[in-house]
Amino acid sequence: MIRVGTDKRKIHSAELLVNGLIKCMEKKDFTEINVSDLQRASGVSRATFYRLFDNVQDILAYKCQAIALEIPQKYHDLPADRKEDFLSFTLHYWMEEQQFLEAVFKSNRADILQSALLKNSGFLYERFPLNTISEEKMDYLAAASMGVLSSLLITWVKHGKKETSEQLIEIFRGFGEIMPVMLC
């Protein structure tokens, strides 16, 4: 369980733990990292860790959720003349968090990334009003879209982060051409 909330001190401690986890993953496999390792790498006390999180996986979930929440807020704050399409903005934003995406990849917990994206997929409901798509179909659309997006990001890390965001968008949009063929 994540208990960070909106308190600035808790957020600061949580970010120190995220950075500590990334440091630890440079030396150890994710499954071998314990609270003592995080305490040494982050400078955050064991008591503070347990006030904020139940386990190491919660740190990944916290950061994934925080990024996924930031993206629509930052996008909506942009002046209209600086807005690119939302997919481009989202990919650029996540690609700037490449060190964290590497940690998610190394931990083999892409499910945490997908869950955070899905939890914060409300922008899809704004883009596709429910009067054109049933609520049930919208749930499927959100799950499929966020699954593809998280898989795309994790595969980008797996392949050495060679592609630009524009190339990833081409790949993503190309799925629309491939899917009908695959489903036949």
Side-chain angles (χ1 to χ4, degrees):
M1 179 176 282
I2 301 167
R3 297 174 292 280
V4 176
T6 58
D7 179 75
K8 288 181 183 186
R9 290 176 300 159
K10 288 182 177 182
I11 292 170
H12 178 70
S13 294
E15 287 299 322
L16 289 172
L17 286 162
V18 167
N19 294 332
L21 177 60
I22 291 169
K23 283 181 196 172
C24 288
M25 289 182 72
E26 291 171 1
K27 299 173 188 158
K28 283 185 169 186
D29 186 70
F30 179 78
T31 58
E32 297 172 0
I33 297 170
N34 58 40
V35 177
S36 295
D37 296 326
L38 290 170
Q39 182 181 358
R40 282 189 295 278
S42 67
V44 173
S45 73
R46 179 178 288 276
T48 299
F49 172 86
Y50 283 112
R51 269 196 292 278
L52 302 176
F53 304 109
D54 288 341
N55 55 53
V56 177
Q57 293 88 351
D58 285 349
I59 296 172
L60 289 176
Y62 161 76
K63 186 64 175 176
C64 282
Q65 289 174 15
I67 295 169
L69 277 172
E70 285 172 6
I71 291 172
Q73 292 169 350
K74 298 278 186 184
Y75 182 77
H76 289 297
D77 291 346
L78 286 174
D81 63 326
R82 293 197 52 227
K83 282 189 180 177
E84 55 193 320
D85 78 42
F86 189 72
L87 177 59
S88 297
F89 182 82
T90 300
L91 284 172
H92 281 115
Y93 205 91
W94 276 105
M95 291 169 94
E96 288 176 10
E97 296 288 344
Q98 62 183 285
Q99 195 174 20
F100 178 72
L101 284 173
E102 285 179 28
V104 173
F105 173 71
K106 287 179 184 176
S107 70
N108 215 13
R109 294 301 311 265
D111 60 307
I112 291 174
L113 174 61
Q114 183 175 354
S115 177
L117 288 169
L118 187 56
K119 183 176 180 182
N120 298 304
S121 63
F123 67 89
L124 284 174
Y125 295 84
E126 294 170 15
R127 186 172 176 138
F128 302 102
L130 288 179
N131 59 355
T132 60
I133 300 174
S134 73
E135 189 172 340
E136 184 176 286
K137 285 183 180 177
M138 181 54 83
D139 287 344
Y140 283 107
L141 175 63
S145 299
M146 297 307 106
V148 170
L149 180 58
S150 65
S151 296
L152 194 67
L153 289 165
I154 292 299
T155 303
W156 174 69
V157 171
K158 177 183 171 186
H159 288 194
K161 302 174 291 206
K162 295 178 291 193
E163 297 84 5
T164 65
S165 59
E166 290 77 20
Q167 289 170 319
L168 287 182
I169 289 167
E170 283 181 41
I171 292 168
F172 187 83
R173 292 203 169 120
F175 294 153
E177 298 168 15
I178 297 169
M179 288 306 287
V181 174
M182 290 177 64
L183 296 174
C184 292

